Amino acid sequence: MCYDNVFKIRDKNECFNTAESYRGTNDPKTCYCSSFAIDYFWGDIWGGGNGPYTDDSNICQAAVHVGAITKDGGNVTIIPTTGCDSYLGVTKNEITSKGAEVAWPGSYYFEGQQSSCNKQNQSSLFNKNMMAGVYFAIDAWKSFFLKK
C-alpha cells in the first residue's frame, strides 16, 4: 500500500493515471480502477474514437469511455502499443475524448478494443496535407507565370 497525493491509501494493483510509463512495451497490464479514481482523478483522454488512446490519457476515464467498465469501477487490461499519426475524438458513455491530428509516440488500447490506428482518420489527414501542397503549388505557379 502507498499514499497518493490526496491521502487516500492506494492499492498496488490500482491503475496509474496514465500509461506513459509503459511506453515501448506491448505486454498487457491488468489493473483496478476504483470508483474513487474515476470520480476524482480526472484527466484528458485523447482518441478512442476508432482506435487506441494516447498513452497520456487517463486510464480509468478511458476505460469508462470505451465501455470496459462502468463508473462503479472494475478491472481493466490495457495493451501498450506504438503511437498513431492522429487520434479521433468522440463522445461515448457520457465522456468526450479529444481528437488530435498530430503524431504521438505511444498509445494503448483495452482488451477487446480495436488496436490499430484509425486509418480513415490518418488518410483524411494525408488528404488535408496533400491539398495544402496542391494549393501552394497552384499559388506558386500563378505568381511565376502570371507576373505582369
Side-chain angles (χ1 to χ4, degrees):
M1 300 280 225
C2 63
Y3 291 91
D4 66 15
N5 61 354
V6 290
F7 306 108
K8 175 191 172 289
I9 296 176
R10 179 174 277 199
D11 186 3
K12 289 181 183 178
N13 193 39
E14 197 163 0
C15 296
F16 291 133
N17 285 344
T18 71
E20 287 175 291
S21 62
Y22 305 132
R23 189 178 292 164
T25 70
N26 60 359
D27 299 327
K29 312 284 187 222
T30 299
C31 57
Y32 179 74
C33 289
S34 67
S35 60
F36 181 84
I38 294 166
D39 287 341
Y40 296 103
F41 296 141
W42 279 89
D44 290 331
I45 56 174
W46 300 84
N50 219 6
Y53 295 88
T54 60
D55 64 4
D56 67 338
S57 294
N58 182 290
I59 293 172
C60 293
Q61 289 298 316
V64 174
H65 182 257
V66 78
I69 58 172
T70 67
K71 290 184 178 184
D72 293 330
N75 286 316
V76 297
T77 300
I78 64 167
I79 298 100
T81 188
T82 58
C84 299
D85 290 336
S86 62
Y87 295 85
L88 183 63
V90 67
T91 300
K92 296 180 187 175
N93 298 314
E94 300 178 7
I95 297 175
T96 301
S97 66
K98 296 180 178 185
E101 290 192 4
V102 295
W104 190 256
S107 299
Y108 68 88
Y109 60 95
F110 292 92
E111 195 170 56
Q113 179 192 10
Q114 180 177 330
S115 61
S116 61
C117 295
N118 182 357
K119 302 297 183 198
Q120 180 180 6
N121 198 25
Q122 287 182 359
S123 85
S124 92
L125 178 61
F126 172 78
N127 290 339
K128 287 178 188 173
N129 290 339
M130 180 68 123
M131 289 308 295
V134 168
Y135 291 132
F136 176 77
I138 290 170
D139 286 343
W141 180 83
K142 280 190 216 176
S143 66
F144 182 76
F145 289 107
L146 300 178
K147 285 183 184 176
K148 292 186 180 180

